[in-house]
Amino acid sequence: MLQLRLWALPRPPLPACSIRQLHTTGIAKATPVAGSSTAKPAAALPKWTPNSVRTGLIARKRGMAVLWNDQGVRVPVTVLQVAASDRPAKTTTRQMLGHFKKANVPPKRIVKEFPVTPDAHIPVGTTLSAIHFVPGQFVDVVANSIGKGFQGGMKRWGFHGLAASHGVSVSHRSSGSAGNCQDPGRIWPGKKMAGHMGNKRITTQNLAVVRVDSALDLIFVKGNVPGVDDAQVLIRDAKKKMTALSAHNQAKGLYEKVLPQGVDDLPFPAGTAELAKALPPVIEAPAYRRSPFTPLE
């Protein structure tokens, strides 16, 4: 397996009092990305800074698997494929068809917005790749959890239940008393009771990117993500371990801790299909921890 450090770009220090502003418009001011036909010379391209917020990606959850790192440690991973599935034009509204036609892209089943900073705008119609995320960095994955239907208090909230032997008649899994006396004469809002469980928007934070396969547009993240297989998920840079921590360490002057260990820079403003062609198809993050199979002295 090929292992290498990809990003070795200089990071100029920023003043500690710099302010990050979010903009969801200004596409006309977007800077062409590297490798495109309208790209500017490398010196004119913007550089990633700790105050930059890049766009995210739409992906499909393909299931879970296991990998073994260079130390022989078994790592459970979730396979995410970067893809926004097309949908037939006859099932798309005319309003959305107009948007897709203006952007010169086929109709898509899911359309989402990601807040970005002004320096991270990309031209409309740019094809993004799995190389947008670097092995070794952390990401947040947003998806709808698996629906469980109507469930009781024991399964939904982990209640202990009533006695299983003496003194209870056919009420072993009952939640028991739910209300008070005449005062207040009602149930307080938000009380944990039986009801619909699951099918909620869940964000799993700080998942490490273990491997990136740009040939198949696959992203291998450590751990599990919400949702069923083949579900649509959203991937973005981790707000805590990437965005907030990078700006905090930059303000304190800890430049060697601005990015996670082994990551020197991020593709900016985005990782495109043209950039993926210039890199190896499979890139894996090496293990920086002590090998668990090495005996302690």
Side-chain angles (χ1 to χ4, degrees), residues 8 24 58 84 108 137 144 156 177 182-183 213 259 295:
T24 56
I58 301 176
K108 303 296 181 180
Q137 77 164 100
N144 289 335
R156 191 184 185 197
S177 177
Q182 186 173 356
D183 183 18
D213 188 339
L259 287 173

Side-chain angles (χ1 to χ4, degrees), residues 18-55:
S18 59
I19 301 177
R20 186 184 68 193
Q21 299 178 350
L22 295 180
H23 295 265
T24 56
T25 58
I27 299 300
K29 300 180 181 179
T31 303
V33 294
S36 61
S37 58
T38 59
K40 298 180 181 180
L45 292 177
K47 302 296 182 180
W48 179 87
T49 65
N51 292 322
S52 300
V53 177
R54 305 188 304 159
T55 182

Side-chain angles (χ1 to χ4, degrees), residues 277-288:
K277 294 178 182 178
L279 298 173
V282 178
I283 305 171
E284 186 173 355
Y288 293 97

Side-chain angles (χ1 to χ4, degrees), residues 8 15 17 33 54 57 60 69 77 82 96-97 125 144 160 164 180 197 219 234 236 238 246 258 269-270 276 291:
C17 60
V33 294
R54 305 188 304 159
L57 296 180
R60 304 288 291 270
N69 60 15
V77 296
V82 179
M96 292 305 299
L97 284 175
N144 289 335
H160 181 272
N180 298 311
M197 180 180 178
I219 302 175
L234 307 179
R236 67 191 182 201
S246 298
V258 170
S291 174

Side-chain angles (χ1 to χ4, degrees), residues 9 14 17 46 60 85 91 97 127 135 137 141 147-148 167 176 199 213 222 256 258 261 264 266 269 284:
L9 303 178
L14 295 178
C17 60
R60 304 288 291 270
S85 301
T91 62
L97 284 175
T127 302
Q137 77 164 100
V141 180
K148 303 292 185 179
N199 194 24
D213 188 339
K222 183 178 180 180
E256 69 281 357
V258 170
Q261 185 178 8
D264 294 335
L266 300 176
E284 186 173 355

Side-chain angles (χ1 to χ4, degrees), residues 27-265:
I27 299 300
K29 300 180 181 179
T31 303
V33 294
S36 61
S37 58
T38 59
K40 298 180 181 180
L45 292 177
K47 302 296 182 180
W48 179 87
T49 65
N51 292 322
S52 300
V53 177
R54 305 188 304 159
T55 182
L57 296 180
I58 301 176
R60 304 288 291 270
K61 178 181 177 182
R62 294 306 183 188
M64 294 197 67
V66 293
L67 297 177
W68 282 263
N69 60 15
D70 53 356
Q71 296 178 346
V73 179
R74 183 177 183 270
V75 180
V77 296
T78 301
V79 183
L80 305 175
Q81 185 175 22
V82 179
S85 301
D86 298 341
R87 69 182 304 171
K90 64 179 181 180
T91 62
T92 309
T93 62
R94 293 187 178 181
Q95 294 82 355
M96 292 305 299
L97 284 175
H99 287 293
F100 292 126
K101 182 178 180 181
K102 184 178 180 180
N104 197 22
V105 296
K108 303 296 181 180
R109 290 192 177 274
I110 178 173
V111 178
K112 295 294 181 180
E113 294 183 356
F114 294 93
V116 298
T117 47
D119 58 343
H121 284 300
I122 55 178
V124 176
T126 302
T127 302
L128 303 180
S129 172
I131 202 62
H132 182 71
F133 297 108
V134 180
Q137 77 164 100
F138 297 93
V139 295
D140 294 339
V141 180
V142 184
N144 289 335
S145 60
I146 299 177
K148 303 292 185 179
F150 191 94
Q151 299 296 333
M154 293 184 66
K155 181 173 182 178
R156 191 184 185 197
W157 302 108
F159 289 169
H160 181 272
L162 302 183
S165 57
H166 301 288
V168 176
S169 299
V170 201
S171 298
H172 307 288
R173 298 183 62 86
S174 174
S175 299
S177 177
N180 298 311
C181 194
Q182 186 173 356
D183 183 18
R186 62 188 177 93
I187 297 178
W188 296 108
K191 182 174 179 58
K192 297 179 179 179
M193 301 177 66
H196 188 274
M197 180 180 178
N199 194 24
K200 293 184 178 180
R201 184 182 176 95
I202 303 296
T203 301
T204 305
Q205 299 179 335
N206 305 326
L207 297 177
V209 178
V210 179
R211 178 190 294 181
V212 171
D213 188 339
S214 58
L216 300 176
D217 274 338
L218 299 180
I219 302 175
F220 298 79
V221 296
K222 183 178 180 180
N224 60 330
V225 302
V228 298
D229 291 348
D230 206 36
Q232 300 276 4
V233 301
L234 307 179
I235 315 174
R236 67 191 182 201
D237 293 334
K239 288 187 175 180
K240 293 181 178 179
K241 281 195 173 183
M242 292 294 296
T243 306
L245 188 61
S246 298
H248 175 74
N249 290 334
Q250 176 77 11
K252 294 183 64 176
L254 303 175
Y255 303 115
E256 69 281 357
K257 296 183 179 180
V258 170
L259 287 173
Q261 185 178 8
V263 180
D264 294 335
D265 210 341

